[in-house]
Amino acid sequence: MSVYDKIFKPKVYTLPNGNTAEKKASRAPVYFIFILLMSILSVKITGFDMKILSQRIGQFFVILGEMLPPNTDFMSKVWGPLFDTIKMSLLGSVAGALLSVPFAMLASTNVCPNKVVVSVVRVMFSLIRTLPTLVTALVATLVFGLGTLAGTFAIAVFSFAYIGKLTYEEIETVDMGAFEAMEAMGATKARAFVSAIVPQVLPFFLSNCLFNFEGNVRYAAVLGYVGAGGIGLVLNEKISWREYSSVGMMLVALFVAVFVIESISRMLRKKLV
């Protein structure tokens, strides 16, 4: 019996047959106190001030109001950066997803028997996933220079880790009968993987790729803040100059683009899974 059960005694019920059954006291009060203490600690550490928030929150709506109506004349200058954002999202998503496939194969315990290799590849996926895309883009601008190449690289790195993890988890749930039969017939592991595993995981892989692409279009919009190209670069410039009506036009264009991409992606994913 735990200390908690010693303090808060379980309720004892007597059943019709004379036996007894115990119902332990709920742990909800402990969880509630823990979350409350962590919230108080977070407020202390972050310096969160409700007074400042209540005083300044109105300025958010003032800036939002200045974005309306959007400056439609600025739309002609939005098309180029917007398409750059979509292009680098698409290219980065495709490159990262394709590159992740062989590593996902090595990270699957039912395909790769070597536990060391499996562990190393999984740790690699975990380490890369912890890298914020904005930080990766910042480093990429130092390596490749300012522009969409840096943004494409950052998105590819994120997609590689994200799709890789989902793919190896999916591979581990497939039926291995066909794979083992092909290996027994003398097929190489790669050949057996392509013929027996890929057809089973392909719909989920494509569905995950589409979902990842949706998110990357949104994330790519902020990569311009570190010089990684796309609409974020212009967005940062216009916010700095306080041209809020132009910012409003860019946000409307981005919203429409993301909505269209999400709608198409959702429709395709329903057909795949």
Side-chain angles (χ1 to χ4, degrees):
M1 182 178 288
S2 65
V3 176
Y4 187 86
D5 292 326
K6 289 179 180 176
I7 298 173
F8 301 96
K9 301 290 185 184
K11 288 184 178 179
V12 179
Y13 297 92
T14 303
L15 303 177
N17 59 5
N19 294 332
T20 58
E22 291 184 348
K23 181 183 179 182
K24 292 184 177 179
S26 172
R27 264 60 173 174
V30 176
Y31 299 142
F32 176 77
I33 292 171
F34 176 74
I35 293 172
L36 183 64
L37 290 175
M38 292 305 293
S39 300
I40 293 172
L41 183 63
S42 299
V43 168
K44 293 284 185 185
I45 293 173
T46 59
F48 180 81
D49 193 330
M50 184 58 79
K51 185 180 177 183
I52 295 176
L53 181 66
S54 60
Q55 288 175 344
R56 303 294 299 172
I57 190 66
Q59 293 301 313
F60 175 80
F61 295 101
V62 170
I63 293 174
L64 201 61
E66 291 184 14
M67 292 182 188
L68 302 173
N71 180 11
T72 52
D73 294 335
F74 188 68
M75 189 61 204
S76 59
K77 297 179 181 177
V78 175
W79 289 117
L82 181 62
F83 282 125
D84 283 344
T85 299
I86 296 173
K87 282 188 290 186
M88 69 183 192
S89 302
L90 181 63
L91 184 59
S93 300
V94 171
L98 291 178
L99 189 62
S100 71
V101 173
F103 290 93
M105 179 180 165
L106 294 175
S108 307
T109 53
N110 55 346
V111 175
C112 181
N114 191 321
K115 292 183 179 178
V116 175
V117 174
V118 169
S119 301
V120 168
V121 177
R122 288 191 176 192
V123 169
M124 180 190 67
F125 278 139
S126 298
L127 288 175
I128 295 175
R129 277 203 317 281
T130 59
L131 286 174
T133 308
L134 207 59
V135 174
T136 309
L138 183 60
V139 174
T141 56
L142 299 176
V143 177
F144 303 113
L146 301 176
T148 54
L149 177 59
T152 305
F153 177 81
I155 291 170
V157 170
F158 170 77
S159 300
F160 169 77
Y162 178 73
I163 297 296
K165 181 179 187 302
L166 294 178
T167 304
Y168 82 68
E169 288 180 345
E170 193 61 43
I171 290 172
E172 290 186 332
T173 64
V174 301
D175 180 7
M176 294 299 292
F179 180 83
E180 291 168 357
M182 289 197 69
E183 279 198 310
M185 292 168 64
T188 62
K189 197 173 285 293
R191 176 68 179 169
F193 180 83
V194 171
S195 301
I197 305 293
V198 170
Q200 296 185 64
V201 300
L202 188 59
F204 297 97
F205 174 76
L206 293 176
S207 176
N208 291 332
C209 289
L210 287 169
F211 185 72
N212 177 56
F213 172 60
E214 286 178 32
N216 283 341
V217 175
R218 287 192 294 271
Y219 305 146
V222 297
L223 295 184
Y225 275 77
V226 293
I231 198 170
L233 199 61
V234 187
L235 196 62
N236 185 28
E237 181 183 285
K238 294 301 175 186
I239 289 176
S240 301
W241 293 349
R242 300 192 176 185
E243 294 182 11
Y244 294 124
S245 58
S246 298
V247 173
M249 190 67 251
M250 282 188 283
L251 292 180
V252 169
L254 188 62
F255 170 77
V256 173
V258 170
F259 178 77
V260 170
I261 290 170
E262 282 187 352
S263 300
I264 295 172
S265 172
R266 195 181 308 117
M267 182 185 68
L268 293 174
R269 282 189 283 120
K270 281 183 180 177
K271 292 181 181 296
L272 286 169
V273 180

